[in-house]
Coordinates of all heavy atoms in Angstrom, one line a residue:
M1 N 29.6 -10.5 -7.4 CA 28.8 -9.5 -6.7 C 28.2 -8.4 -7.6 O 27.0 -8.0 -7.4 CB 29.7 -8.8 -5.6 CG 29.0 -7.8 -4.8 SD 27.8 -8.6 -3.7 CE 27.4 -7.2 -2.6
A2 N 28.9 -8.1 -8.6 CA 28.5 -7.1 -9.6 C 27.2 -7.6 -10.3 O 26.3 -6.8 -10.6 CB 29.5 -6.7 -10.6
E3 N 27.2 -8.9 -10.6 CA 26.0 -9.5 -11.3 C 24.7 -9.3 -10.4 O 23.7 -9.0 -10.9 CB 26.3 -10.9 -11.6 CG 27.3 -11.2 -12.6 CD 27.7 -12.6 -12.8 OE1 27.0 -13.5 -12.2 OE2 28.6 -12.9 -13.6
I4 N 24.9 -9.5 -9.1 CA 23.7 -9.4 -8.2 C 23.3 -7.9 -8.2 O 22.1 -7.7 -8.3 CB 24.1 -9.9 -6.8 CG1 24.3 -11.4 -6.9 CG2 23.0 -9.6 -5.8 CD1 24.8 -12.0 -5.6
T5 N 24.2 -7.0 -8.0 CA 23.7 -5.6 -8.0 C 23.2 -5.1 -9.3 O 22.3 -4.3 -9.3 CB 24.9 -4.7 -7.6 OG1 26.0 -4.9 -8.4 CG2 25.4 -4.9 -6.1
D6 N 23.6 -5.7 -10.4 CA 23.0 -5.4 -11.7 C 21.6 -5.9 -11.7 O 20.7 -5.3 -12.3 CB 23.8 -6.0 -12.8 CG 25.2 -5.4 -13.1 OD1 25.4 -4.3 -12.6 OD2 26.0 -6.0 -13.7
L7 N 21.4 -7.0 -11.1 CA 20.0 -7.6 -11.1 C 19.1 -6.9 -10.2 O 17.9 -6.6 -10.6 CB 20.1 -9.1 -10.7 CG 18.9 -10.0 -10.8 CD1 18.4 -10.0 -12.2 CD2 19.2 -11.4 -10.3
I8 N 19.5 -6.7 -8.9 CA 18.6 -6.1 -7.9 C 18.7 -4.6 -7.7 O 17.9 -4.0 -7.1 CB 18.6 -6.8 -6.6 CG1 20.0 -6.7 -5.9 CG2 18.3 -8.3 -6.7 CD1 20.1 -7.1 -4.5
G9 N 19.8 -4.1 -8.1 CA 20.1 -2.6 -7.9 C 21.0 -2.4 -6.7 O 21.5 -3.3 -6.1
N10 N 21.0 -1.1 -6.3 CA 21.9 -0.7 -5.2 C 21.3 -1.3 -3.9 O 20.1 -1.0 -3.6 CB 21.9 0.8 -5.1 CG 22.7 1.4 -4.0 OD1 22.7 0.9 -2.9 ND2 23.5 2.4 -4.3
P11 N 22.1 -2.0 -3.1 CA 21.6 -2.6 -1.9 C 21.0 -1.6 -0.9 O 20.0 -1.9 -0.2 CB 22.8 -3.4 -1.3 CG 23.7 -3.6 -2.5 CD 23.5 -2.5 -3.4
R12 N 21.6 -0.5 -0.8 CA 21.1 0.5 0.2 C 19.7 1.1 -0.3 O 18.8 1.3 0.5 CB 22.1 1.7 0.3 CG 23.3 1.3 1.1 CD 24.1 2.5 1.4 NE 25.2 2.0 2.3 CZ 26.5 2.4 2.2 NH1 26.8 3.3 1.3 NH2 27.4 1.9 3.0
E13 N 19.5 1.3 -1.6 CA 18.3 1.7 -2.1 C 17.2 0.6 -1.9 O 16.1 0.9 -1.5 CB 18.4 2.1 -3.6 CG 19.2 3.4 -3.8 CD 19.4 3.7 -5.3 OE1 18.7 3.0 -6.1 OE2 20.2 4.6 -5.6
V14 N 17.6 -0.6 -2.2 CA 16.6 -1.7 -2.0 C 16.2 -1.8 -0.5 O 15.0 -2.0 -0.2 CB 17.2 -3.1 -2.5 CG1 16.4 -4.2 -2.1 CG2 17.4 -3.0 -4.0
D15 N 17.2 -1.7 0.4 CA 16.9 -1.7 1.8 C 15.9 -0.6 2.2 O 15.0 -0.8 3.0 CB 18.2 -1.6 2.6 CG 18.0 -1.7 4.1 OD1 17.4 -2.7 4.6 OD2 18.3 -0.7 4.8
A16 N 16.2 0.6 1.7 CA 15.3 1.7 2.1 C 13.9 1.5 1.5 O 12.9 1.8 2.2 CB 15.9 3.0 1.5
E17 N 13.8 1.0 0.3 CA 12.5 0.7 -0.3 C 11.7 -0.4 0.5 O 10.5 -0.2 0.8 CB 12.6 0.3 -1.7 CG 13.0 1.4 -2.6 CD 13.3 0.9 -4.0 OE1 13.1 -0.3 -4.4 OE2 13.8 1.7 -4.9
L18 N 12.4 -1.4 1.0 CA 11.8 -2.5 1.7 C 11.4 -2.0 3.1 O 10.3 -2.3 3.6 CB 12.7 -3.7 1.9 CG 13.0 -4.5 0.6 CD1 14.1 -5.5 0.9 CD2 11.7 -5.2 0.2
R19 N 12.2 -1.1 3.7 CA 11.8 -0.5 5.0 C 10.6 0.3 4.9 O 9.7 0.3 5.7 CB 12.9 0.3 5.6 CG 14.1 -0.6 6.1 CD 15.2 0.3 6.6 NE 16.4 -0.5 7.0 CZ 16.6 -1.0 8.2 NH1 15.8 -0.8 9.1 NH2 17.7 -1.8 8.4
S20 N 10.5 1.1 3.9 CA 9.3 2.0 3.6 C 8.1 1.2 3.4 O 7.0 1.5 3.9 CB 9.6 2.9 2.4 OG 8.5 3.7 2.1
F21 N 8.2 0.1 2.6 CA 7.1 -0.8 2.3 C 6.6 -1.5 3.6 O 5.4 -1.5 3.8 CB 7.5 -1.8 1.2 CG 6.3 -2.6 0.7 CD1 5.6 -2.1 -0.3 CD2 5.9 -3.8 1.2 CE1 4.5 -2.8 -0.9 CE2 4.8 -4.5 0.7 CZ 4.1 -4.0 -0.3
R22 N 7.5 -1.9 4.4 CA 7.2 -2.6 5.7 C 6.4 -1.6 6.6 O 5.4 -1.9 7.2 CB 8.4 -3.1 6.4 CG 8.1 -3.7 7.7 CD 9.4 -4.4 8.2 NE 9.2 -5.0 9.5 CZ 9.5 -4.5 10.7 NH1 10.2 -3.4 10.7 NH2 9.3 -5.2 11.8
K23 N 6.9 -0.3 6.7 CA 6.3 0.7 7.5 C 4.9 0.9 7.0 O 3.9 1.1 7.8 CB 7.1 2.0 7.4 CG 6.5 3.2 8.1 CD 7.4 4.4 7.8 CE 6.8 5.7 8.2 NZ 7.6 6.8 7.9
T24 N 4.7 1.0 5.7 CA 3.4 1.2 5.1 C 2.4 0.1 5.4 O 1.3 0.3 5.8 CB 3.5 1.4 3.6 OG1 4.3 2.6 3.4 CG2 2.1 1.7 3.0
A25 N 2.9 -1.2 5.3 CA 2.1 -2.3 5.6 C 1.7 -2.4 7.1 O 0.6 -2.7 7.4 CB 2.9 -3.6 5.2
M26 N 2.6 -2.0 7.9 CA 2.3 -2.0 9.4 C 1.3 -0.9 9.7 O 0.4 -1.1 10.5 CB 3.6 -1.8 10.2 CG 4.5 -3.0 10.2 SD 6.1 -2.8 11.0 CE 5.6 -2.4 12.7
R27 N 1.4 0.2 9.1 CA 0.4 1.3 9.3 C -1.0 0.8 8.8 O -2.0 1.1 9.5 CB 0.8 2.6 8.6 CG 2.0 3.2 9.2 CD 1.6 4.7 9.6 NE 2.7 5.2 10.4 CZ 3.5 6.2 10.0 NH1 3.3 6.7 8.8 NH2 4.4 6.7 10.8
L28 N -1.0 0.2 7.7 CA -2.3 -0.3 7.2 C -2.9 -1.3 8.2 O -4.1 -1.1 8.5 CB -2.1 -1.0 5.8 CG -3.4 -1.7 5.2 CD1 -4.5 -0.7 5.0 CD2 -3.0 -2.4 4.0
S29 N -2.2 -2.2 8.7 CA -2.7 -3.1 9.7 C -3.1 -2.4 11.0 O -4.2 -2.7 11.5 CB -1.7 -4.2 10.0 OG -1.4 -5.0 8.9
S30 N -2.3 -1.5 11.5 CA -2.7 -0.9 12.8 C -3.8 0.1 12.7 O -4.5 0.3 13.6 CB -1.4 -0.2 13.3 OG -1.1 0.9 12.6
R31 N -4.0 0.7 11.5 CA -5.1 1.7 11.3 C -6.3 1.1 10.7 O -7.2 1.9 10.3 CB -4.5 2.9 10.5 CG -3.5 3.6 11.3 CD -3.0 4.8 10.5 NE -2.0 5.6 11.2 CZ -1.4 6.6 10.7 NH1 -1.5 6.9 9.5 NH2 -0.5 7.2 11.5
H32 N -6.4 -0.1 10.4 CA -7.5 -0.7 9.7 C -8.8 -0.4 10.3 O -9.8 0.0 9.5 CB -7.3 -2.2 9.5 CG -8.3 -2.8 8.5 ND1 -9.4 -3.4 8.9 CD2 -8.3 -2.8 7.1 CE1 -10.1 -3.8 7.8 NE2 -9.4 -3.4 6.7
P33 N -9.0 -0.4 11.6 CA -10.4 -0.1 12.1 C -10.8 1.4 11.8 O -11.9 1.6 11.5 CB -10.2 -0.3 13.6 CG -9.1 -1.3 13.8 CD -8.2 -1.0 12.6
R34 N -9.8 2.3 11.9 CA -10.1 3.7 11.5 C -10.4 3.9 10.1 O -11.2 4.7 9.6 CB -9.0 4.6 12.0 CG -9.0 4.8 13.5 CD -7.9 5.7 13.9 NE -6.7 5.0 13.7 CZ -5.6 5.2 14.4 NH1 -5.5 6.1 15.3 NH2 -4.5 4.5 14.2
M35 N -9.7 3.1 9.3 CA -9.8 3.2 7.8 C -11.2 2.7 7.4 O -11.8 3.2 6.5 CB -8.7 2.4 7.1 CG -7.4 3.1 7.3 SD -6.1 2.3 6.4 CE -6.2 3.1 4.9
I36 N -11.7 1.7 8.1 CA -13.1 1.2 7.9 C -14.1 2.3 8.0 O -15.0 2.5 7.2 CB -13.4 0.0 8.8 CG1 -12.6 -1.2 8.3 CG2 -14.9 -0.3 8.7 CD1 -12.7 -2.4 9.3
E37 N -13.9 3.1 9.1 CA -14.8 4.2 9.3 C -14.7 5.3 8.2 O -15.7 5.9 7.8 CB -14.5 4.9 10.7 CG -14.9 4.0 11.8 CD -14.4 4.6 13.2 OE1 -14.1 5.8 13.2 OE2 -14.4 3.8 14.2
R38 N -13.5 5.6 7.8 CA -13.2 6.7 6.9 C -13.4 6.3 5.4 O -13.8 7.1 4.6 CB -11.8 7.2 7.1 CG -11.5 8.5 6.3 CD -10.3 9.2 6.9 NE -10.2 10.4 6.1 CZ -9.2 11.3 6.3 NH1 -8.3 11.0 7.2 NH2 -9.2 12.4 5.6
Y39 N -13.0 5.1 5.1 CA -13.1 4.6 3.7 C -13.8 3.3 3.5 O -13.3 2.4 2.9 CB -11.6 4.4 3.1 CG -10.7 5.6 3.3 CD1 -9.7 5.5 4.3 CD2 -10.8 6.7 2.6 CE1 -8.8 6.6 4.5 CE2 -10.0 7.8 2.7 CZ -9.0 7.7 3.7 OH -8.1 8.8 3.8
P40 N -15.1 3.2 4.0 CA -15.8 1.9 3.9 C -16.1 1.6 2.4 O -16.5 2.4 1.6 CB -17.1 2.2 4.7 CG -17.3 3.7 4.6 CD -15.9 4.3 4.5
K41 N -15.7 0.4 2.1 CA -16.0 -0.2 0.8 C -15.4 0.7 -0.3 O -15.9 0.8 -1.4 CB -17.5 -0.4 0.5 CG -18.0 -1.4 1.5 CD -19.5 -1.7 1.2 CE -20.0 -2.7 2.3 NZ -21.4 -2.9 2.2
R42 N -14.2 1.2 0.0 CA -13.5 2.0 -1.0 C -12.1 1.5 -1.2 O -11.5 0.9 -0.3 CB -13.4 3.5 -0.6 CG -14.8 4.2 -0.6 CD -14.7 5.6 -0.1 NE -14.0 6.5 -1.1 CZ -14.5 7.1 -2.1 NH1 -15.8 6.9 -2.3 NH2 -13.8 7.9 -2.9
W43 N -11.5 1.7 -2.3 CA -10.1 1.3 -2.6 C -9.2 2.4 -2.0 O -9.5 3.6 -2.2 CB -9.9 1.2 -4.1 CG -10.5 -0.1 -4.6 CD1 -11.8 -0.2 -5.1 CD2 -10.0 -1.4 -4.7 NE1 -12.1 -1.4 -5.5 CE2 -10.9 -2.2 -5.3 CE3 -8.8 -1.9 -4.3 CZ2 -10.7 -3.6 -5.5 CZ3 -8.5 -3.3 -4.5 CH2 -9.5 -4.1 -5.1
V44 N -8.1 2.0 -1.4 CA -7.1 3.0 -0.9 C -5.7 2.6 -1.4 O -5.4 1.4 -1.6 CB -7.1 3.2 0.6 CG1 -8.4 3.7 1.1 CG2 -6.8 1.8 1.3
A45 N -4.9 3.6 -1.6 CA -3.5 3.4 -2.0 C -2.7 4.1 -0.9 O -2.8 5.2 -0.6 CB -3.2 4.0 -3.3
L46 N -1.7 3.3 -0.3 CA -0.8 3.8 0.7 C 0.6 3.8 0.1 O 1.0 2.8 -0.5 CB -0.9 3.0 1.9 CG -2.2 3.1 2.7 CD1 -3.1 1.9 2.3 CD2 -2.0 3.1 4.2
H47 N 1.3 4.8 0.4 CA 2.7 4.9 0.0 C 3.5 5.7 1.1 O 2.9 6.7 1.5 CB 2.9 5.6 -1.4 CG 4.3 5.6 -1.9 ND1 5.1 6.6 -1.6 CD2 5.0 4.7 -2.5 CE1 6.3 6.4 -2.2 NE2 6.3 5.2 -2.7
S48 N 4.6 5.2 1.5 CA 5.4 5.9 2.5 C 4.6 6.1 3.8 O 4.7 7.2 4.4 CB 6.0 7.2 2.0 OG 6.9 6.9 1.0
G49 N 3.7 5.2 4.1 CA 3.0 5.2 5.4 C 1.7 6.1 5.4 O 1.1 6.3 6.4
R50 N 1.4 6.7 4.2 CA 0.2 7.6 4.2 C -0.7 7.2 3.0 O -0.3 6.6 2.0 CB 0.7 9.0 3.9 CG 1.5 9.6 5.0 CD 2.1 11.0 4.8 NE 1.2 11.8 4.0 CZ 1.6 12.8 3.2 NH1 2.9 13.0 3.0 NH2 0.7 13.5 2.5
V51 N -2.0 7.5 3.3 CA -3.0 7.3 2.2 C -2.7 8.3 1.1 O -2.8 9.5 1.4 CB -4.4 7.4 2.7 CG1 -5.4 7.3 1.6 CG2 -4.7 6.2 3.7
R52 N -2.5 7.9 -0.1 CA -2.2 8.8 -1.2 C -3.3 9.0 -2.2 O -3.4 9.9 -2.9 CB -0.9 8.4 -1.9 CG 0.3 8.2 -1.1 CD 0.7 9.6 -0.5 NE 1.9 9.4 0.4 CZ 2.9 10.2 0.4 NH1 2.9 11.3 -0.4 NH2 3.9 10.0 1.2
A53 N -4.2 8.0 -2.2 CA -5.4 8.0 -3.1 C -6.4 7.1 -2.5 O -6.1 6.1 -1.8 CB -5.0 7.6 -4.5
H54 N -7.7 7.4 -2.9 CA -8.8 6.5 -2.5 C -9.9 6.8 -3.5 O -10.0 7.8 -4.2 CB -9.3 6.7 -1.1 CG -9.7 8.1 -0.8 ND1 -11.0 8.6 -1.0 CD2 -9.0 9.2 -0.3 CE1 -11.1 9.8 -0.6 NE2 -9.9 10.2 -0.2
G55 N -10.7 5.7 -3.7 CA -11.8 5.9 -4.7 C -12.7 4.7 -4.7 O -12.5 3.7 -4.0
E56 N -13.8 4.8 -5.5 CA -14.8 3.7 -5.5 C -14.3 2.5 -6.4 O -14.9 1.4 -6.3 CB -16.1 4.2 -6.0 CG -16.7 5.2 -5.0 CD -18.1 5.7 -5.5 OE1 -18.6 5.1 -6.5 OE2 -18.6 6.6 -4.9
S57 N -13.4 2.8 -7.3 CA -12.9 1.7 -8.2 C -11.4 1.5 -8.1 O -10.7 2.5 -7.9 CB -13.4 1.9 -9.6 OG -12.7 3.0 -10.2
L58 N -10.9 0.4 -8.4 CA -9.5 0.1 -8.5 C -8.9 1.0 -9.6 O -7.8 1.5 -9.4 CB -9.3 -1.4 -8.7 CG -7.8 -1.8 -8.9 CD1 -6.9 -1.4 -7.7 CD2 -7.7 -3.3 -9.2
E59 N -9.6 1.0 -10.7 CA -9.1 1.8 -11.8 C -8.8 3.3 -11.5 O -7.8 3.9 -11.8 CB -10.0 1.7 -13.0 CG -10.1 0.3 -13.6 CD -11.0 -0.6 -12.8 OE1 -11.8 -0.2 -12.0 OE2 -10.9 -1.9 -13.0
S60 N -9.8 3.9 -10.8 CA -9.6 5.3 -10.4 C -8.4 5.5 -9.5 O -7.7 6.5 -9.6 CB -10.9 5.9 -9.8 OG -11.2 5.3 -8.5
V61 N -8.2 4.6 -8.6 CA -7.1 4.7 -7.6 C -5.8 4.5 -8.4 O -4.8 5.2 -8.1 CB -7.2 3.7 -6.5 CG1 -6.0 3.6 -5.6 CG2 -8.4 4.0 -5.6
L62 N -5.7 3.5 -9.3 CA -4.5 3.3 -10.1 C -4.2 4.5 -10.9 O -3.0 4.9 -11.1 CB -4.6 2.1 -10.9 CG -4.7 0.7 -10.2 CD1 -4.9 -0.4 -11.1 CD2 -3.4 0.5 -9.3
E63 N -5.2 5.1 -11.5 CA -5.0 6.4 -12.3 C -4.4 7.5 -11.4 O -3.5 8.2 -11.8 CB -6.3 6.8 -12.9 CG -6.7 6.0 -14.1 CD -8.1 6.4 -14.6 OE1 -8.6 7.4 -14.2 OE2 -8.6 5.6 -15.5
A64 N -4.9 7.6 -10.2 CA -4.5 8.6 -9.2 C -3.0 8.4 -8.8 O -2.2 9.3 -8.8 CB -5.3 8.7 -8.0
I65 N -2.7 7.1 -8.6 CA -1.3 6.7 -8.3 C -0.4 7.2 -9.5 O 0.7 7.8 -9.2 CB -1.2 5.2 -8.1 CG1 -1.9 4.8 -6.8 CG2 0.3 4.8 -8.0 CD1 -2.0 3.3 -6.6
D66 N -0.8 6.8 -10.7 CA 0.1 7.1 -11.8 C 0.2 8.6 -12.0 O 1.3 9.1 -12.3 CB -0.5 6.5 -13.1 CG -0.5 5.0 -13.1 OD1 0.3 4.4 -12.3 OD2 -1.2 4.3 -13.8
S67 N -0.9 9.4 -11.8 CA -0.9 10.8 -12.0 C 0.0 11.5 -11.0 O 0.6 12.6 -11.3 CB -2.3 11.4 -12.0 OG -2.8 11.4 -10.7
K68 N 0.1 10.9 -9.8 CA 1.0 11.5 -8.8 C 2.4 11.0 -8.9 O 3.3 11.4 -8.1 CB 0.5 11.1 -7.4 CG -0.9 11.8 -7.1 CD -1.4 11.4 -5.8 CE -2.8 12.0 -5.6 NZ -3.3 11.8 -4.2
G69 N 2.7 10.1 -9.9 CA 4.1 9.6 -10.1 C 4.5 8.6 -9.0 O 5.7 8.4 -8.8
L70 N 3.6 8.0 -8.3 CA 4.0 7.0 -7.3 C 4.3 5.7 -8.0 O 3.6 5.2 -8.9 CB 2.8 6.8 -6.3 CG 2.4 8.0 -5.5 CD1 1.2 7.7 -4.7 CD2 3.6 8.5 -4.6
P71 N 5.3 5.0 -7.5 CA 5.7 3.7 -8.1 C 4.7 2.6 -7.6 O 4.5 2.4 -6.4 CB 7.1 3.4 -7.6 CG 7.2 4.2 -6.3 CD 6.3 5.4 -6.5
R72 N 4.1 2.0 -8.6 CA 3.1 0.9 -8.2 C 3.7 -0.2 -7.4 O 3.1 -0.7 -6.5 CB 2.5 0.4 -9.5 CG 1.5 1.3 -10.2 CD 0.7 0.5 -11.3 NE -0.2 1.4 -11.9 CZ -1.1 0.9 -12.8 NH1 -1.2 -0.4 -13.1 NH2 -2.0 1.8 -13.4
G73 N 4.9 -0.5 -7.7 CA 5.6 -1.6 -7.0 C 5.9 -1.3 -5.5 O 6.2 -2.2 -4.8
Q74 N 5.8 -0.1 -5.1 CA 6.1 0.3 -3.8 C 4.8 0.9 -3.1 O 4.9 1.5 -2.1 CB 7.2 1.4 -3.7 CG 8.5 0.8 -4.2 CD 9.5 1.9 -4.4 OE1 9.4 3.0 -3.9 NE2 10.5 1.7 -5.2
T75 N 3.7 0.7 -3.7 CA 2.4 1.3 -3.2 C 1.5 0.1 -2.9 O 1.3 -0.8 -3.7 CB 1.8 2.2 -4.3 OG1 2.7 3.2 -4.6 CG2 0.5 2.8 -3.8
I76 N 0.9 0.1 -1.7 CA -0.1 -0.9 -1.4 C -1.5 -0.4 -1.7 O -1.9 0.7 -1.3 CB 0.0 -1.2 0.2 CG1 1.4 -1.8 0.5 CG2 -1.1 -2.2 0.6 CD1 1.6 -2.0 2.0
V77 N -2.2 -1.2 -2.5 CA -3.6 -0.9 -2.8 C -4.5 -1.9 -2.3 O -4.2 -3.1 -2.5 CB -3.8 -0.8 -4.4 CG1 -5.2 -0.4 -4.7 CG2 -2.8 0.2 -5.0
R78 N -5.5 -1.5 -1.6 CA -6.4 -2.5 -0.9 C -7.8 -2.0 -0.8 O -8.0 -0.8 -0.6 CB -5.9 -2.7 0.5 CG -6.7 -3.7 1.3 CD -6.0 -4.1 2.5 NE -6.9 -5.0 3.2 CZ -6.7 -5.4 4.5 NH1 -5.6 -5.0 5.1 NH2 -7.5 -6.2 5.1
L79 N -8.8 -2.9 -0.9 CA -10.2 -2.6 -0.7 C -10.4 -2.6 0.8 O -10.1 -3.7 1.4 CB -11.1 -3.6 -1.5 CG -12.6 -3.4 -1.3 CD1 -13.0 -2.1 -1.8 CD2 -13.3 -4.5 -1.9
I80 N -10.9 -1.6 1.3 CA -11.2 -1.5 2.8 C -12.6 -2.0 3.0 O -13.6 -1.4 2.5 CB -11.1 -0.1 3.3 CG1 -9.7 0.4 3.1 CG2 -11.4 -0.1 4.8 CD1 -8.6 -0.4 3.7
H81 N -12.7 -3.2 3.6 CA -14.0 -3.9 3.7 C -14.4 -3.9 5.2 O -13.5 -4.1 6.0 CB -13.9 -5.3 3.2 CG -15.2 -5.7 2.4 ND1 -16.4 -5.9 3.1 CD2 -15.4 -5.9 1.1 CE1 -17.3 -6.2 2.2 NE2 -16.7 -6.2 1.0
D82 N -15.6 -3.7 5.5 CA -16.1 -3.7 6.9 C -16.5 -5.0 7.4 O -16.9 -5.2 8.6 CB -17.2 -2.6 7.1 CG -18.4 -2.8 6.2 OD1 -18.3 -3.6 5.3 OD2 -19.4 -2.1 6.4
E83 N -16.6 -6.0 6.5 CA -17.0 -7.3 6.9 C -15.8 -8.2 7.2 O -14.8 -8.1 6.5 CB -17.8 -8.0 5.8 CG -19.1 -7.2 5.5 CD -19.8 -7.8 4.3 OE1 -19.4 -8.9 3.8 OE2 -20.8 -7.2 3.8
P84 N -15.8 -9.0 8.3 CA -14.7 -9.8 8.6 C -14.5 -10.9 7.5 O -15.4 -11.4 6.9 CB -15.0 -10.5 10.0 CG -16.5 -10.3 10.1 CD -16.9 -9.1 9.3
R85 N -13.2 -11.3 7.3 CA -12.9 -12.3 6.3 C -13.1 -13.7 6.9 O -12.7 -13.9 8.1 CB -11.5 -12.1 5.8 CG -11.3 -10.9 5.0 CD -9.9 -10.8 4.5 NE -9.6 -9.6 3.9 CZ -8.5 -9.3 3.3 NH1 -7.5 -10.1 3.4 NH2 -8.3 -8.1 2.8
T86 N -13.5 -14.6 6.1 CA -13.6 -16.0 6.5 C -12.3 -16.6 6.0 O -12.1 -16.6 4.8 CB -14.8 -16.7 6.0 OG1 -16.0 -16.0 6.5 CG2 -14.9 -18.1 6.4
M87 N -11.6 -17.3 6.8 CA -10.4 -18.0 6.4 C -10.6 -19.5 6.6 O -11.0 -19.9 7.6 CB -9.2 -17.5 7.2 CG -8.9 -16.0 7.0 SD -7.4 -15.4 7.9 CE -6.2 -16.0 6.7
I88 N -10.3 -20.2 5.5 CA -10.3 -21.6 5.6 C -8.9 -22.2 5.6 O -8.1 -21.9 4.8 CB -11.1 -22.1 4.3 CG1 -12.5 -21.6 4.2 CG2 -11.1 -23.7 4.3 CD1 -13.2 -21.9 3.0
L89 N -8.7 -22.9 6.7 CA -7.3 -23.5 6.9 C -7.3 -24.9 6.6 O -8.2 -25.7 6.7 CB -6.8 -23.2 8.3 CG -6.8 -21.7 8.7 CD1 -6.5 -21.6 10.2 CD2 -5.8 -21.0 7.9

């Protein structure tokens, strides 16, 4: 068991991080129509369920994330596009 916790970390902390990430992903999905109106064709970064940065380029958003000390591994970055996606199955 100690080998696993050495590898992944404290199970309670991992659980809390996964719950926060899930909450953020759900907010992104549920608010996408409003985000299209507010951030059309812009990159947005969400952390802990909130938009923490936005900009015209991925690089500017990543710089903002880093300057705010947000962990990239727990931050969702996405281009908000107003055109529907075509999915090929």
Side-chain angles (χ1 to χ4, degrees):
M1 182 71 170
E3 293 173 4
I4 293 173
T5 55
D6 290 343
L7 185 63
I8 65 169
N10 181 313
R12 287 191 175 137
E13 290 175 9
V14 171
D15 181 58
E17 290 172 5
L18 289 172
R19 287 177 189 269
S20 176
F21 191 86
R22 180 174 180 254
K23 175 183 169 184
T24 301
M26 289 175 62
R27 288 236 170 114
L28 175 61
S29 295
S30 67
R31 294 183 177 172
H32 192 260
R34 286 182 288 210
M35 293 183 88
I36 290 172
E37 292 175 13
R38 189 164 184 183
Y39 308 107
K41 297 181 182 176
R42 294 179 67 87
W43 288 90
V44 296
L46 293 96
H47 184 267
S48 297
R50 294 178 35 210
V51 173
R52 301 298 179 137
H54 58 89
E56 293 183 12
S57 70
L58 176 59
E59 293 79 16
S60 68
V61 171
L62 293 176
E63 286 175 10
I65 290 170
D66 294 341
S67 71
K68 293 178 181 186
L70 298 173
R72 285 189 181 190
Q74 298 170 19
T75 304
I76 297 174
V77 179
R78 181 169 176 190
L79 176 64
I80 302 299
H81 220 290
D82 57 351
E83 297 174 11
R85 293 183 186 180
T86 302
M87 299 184 77
I88 300 172
L89 304 174

